[in-house]
Amino acid sequence: MNLDAGSLFSLAGKTVLLTGASGFLGRTMAEAILANNGRLIAFGRSEKLFSQCRQWADKFGQGRVSGHRINMADTNKLTALCDQIVRQEGFIEVLINNAHELGLSTGFNTPMGSIENTTPDQWTRHFSGGVHWPLLLAQKLAPAMKAHHRGSIINIATMYALVAPNPNLYEGTTFLNPPAYGAAKAAMLSLTRYMASFWGAAGIRTNAIAPGPFSNTQDSGPNSVKSSDGFLDRLRARTCLGRIGQPTELAGAILFLASEASSYVTGQTLVVDGGWTIT
């Protein structure tokens, strides 16, 4: 193995499929992949995905990025798109399962998402995003990974797959992290270990990243937070580092698990939370 840091973390020659690429954290993951010489296949639900992909192509080079707009909740269309991508691309070496449905329909930041009011539909939606979508994509990409005896699957979970939210954080606010989200992401960690166990002999590494408080202060919408909001002060105070994370601070974890730097790492959950879960 080449121990030069630039070579070790490089994604040169690797094609990466990233879901949720147009979202708050997904955009930075995409930039990290492209900035480190990877080729990107971007899945996203938002209409802005295509304009974002054009910007990335202008910045990093034409032919380095392709965008596919898809509502992953439509599993028939998702299956068809995956089949199409596999036919066109063949071997995709890295899969990053980042997409999840974050909004009022899944109980975020609404009283209807509380443990008293949560619905079967919310739980179904969360487990679709946390388990079903990642499994479906992995099933589609795994045969080529097995044929080449190498591949990396990275599942994006949350610190709330490991610990419960503290209700004191949400007092006097409209913010709420619903119970089904953490439960689904905990199931994702179990799936991560299962894939690592059963596919490791085929050369496929499967790991997860559990981000901590990375509050969206950039976009507008039900999940955004104003930088001056007192809620952020509570989040900052709860971390060992005394601040919330910036999206770029996930780049190192992504590059580590996607590259040869982690060639002997599988079945693990890399927690990037400013120390939240240790106290």
Side-chain angles (χ1 to χ4, degrees), residues 167-175 229 234:
N168 294 331
L169 287 172
Y170 305 103
E171 286 184 2
T173 77
T174 59
F175 298 113
D229 199 306
R234 299 186 198 182

Side-chain angles (χ1 to χ4, degrees), residues 1-11 14 16 29 32-33 36 93-96 151-156 205-210 248-272:
M1 177 183 290
N2 189 334
L3 295 182
D4 175 77
S7 300
L8 198 58
F9 288 87
S10 174
L11 301 182
K14 298 182 189 294
V16 181
M29 294 178 192
I33 292 161
N36 287 273
E93 190 165 346
V94 181
L95 167 63
I96 304 175
S152 176
I153 299 171
I154 305 170
N155 296 322
I156 307 301
R205 297 182 297 106
T206 309
N207 294 284
I209 296 174
T248 52
E249 293 179 301
L250 281 176
I254 290 290
L255 294 175
F256 173 64
L257 293 177
S259 70
E260 297 309 304
S262 60
S263 59
Y264 199 55
V265 178
T266 194
Q268 304 304 307
T269 299
L270 181 53
V271 184
V272 186

Side-chain angles (χ1 to χ4, degrees), residues 64-184:
R64 293 275 309 283
V65 56
S66 62
H68 302 269
R69 190 180 179 197
I70 179 71
N71 178 0
M72 295 180 62
D74 188 332
T75 52
N76 289 331
K77 288 184 178 180
L78 178 60
T79 299
L81 177 59
C82 289
D83 288 338
Q84 173 192 327
I85 295 295
V86 169
R87 286 195 301 269
Q88 292 174 345
E89 299 290 338
F91 178 40
I92 298 170
E93 190 165 346
V94 181
L95 167 63
I96 304 175
N97 287 307
N98 173 59
H100 198 91
E101 192 176 355
L102 306 174
L104 299 178
S105 61
T106 49
F108 281 92
N109 306 330
T110 171
M112 296 309 298
S114 69
I115 195 168
E116 294 85 1
N117 298 321
T118 185
T119 65
D121 179 66
Q122 288 178 9
W123 284 75
T124 298
R125 287 171 179 262
H126 277 292
F127 275 83
S128 290
V131 179
H132 186 200
W133 302 347
L135 175 61
L136 191 155
L137 270 81
Q139 287 174 327
K140 295 296 183 181
L141 270 56
M145 291 181 178
K146 290 178 181 179
H148 287 79
H149 203 74
R150 69 181 190 275
S152 176
I153 299 171
I154 305 170
N155 296 322
I156 307 301
T158 171
M159 65 183 183
Y160 287 143
L162 304 170
V163 297
N166 187 325
N168 294 331
L169 287 172
Y170 305 103
E171 286 184 2
T173 77
T174 59
F175 298 113
L176 176 71
N177 195 293
Y181 179 62

Side-chain angles (χ1 to χ4, degrees), residues 21-61:
S22 56
F24 171 56
L25 297 179
R27 295 193 298 265
T28 299
M29 294 178 192
E31 291 243 354
I33 292 161
L34 292 165
N36 287 273
N37 301 312
R39 183 168 170 270
L40 175 67
I41 301 171
F43 280 17
R45 184 176 62 176
S46 171
E47 201 171 297
K48 63 186 177 185
L49 174 70
F50 296 126
S51 61
Q52 185 70 71
C53 286
R54 286 192 294 270
Q55 292 176 27
W56 289 330
D58 290 341
K59 181 176 181 180
F60 295 105

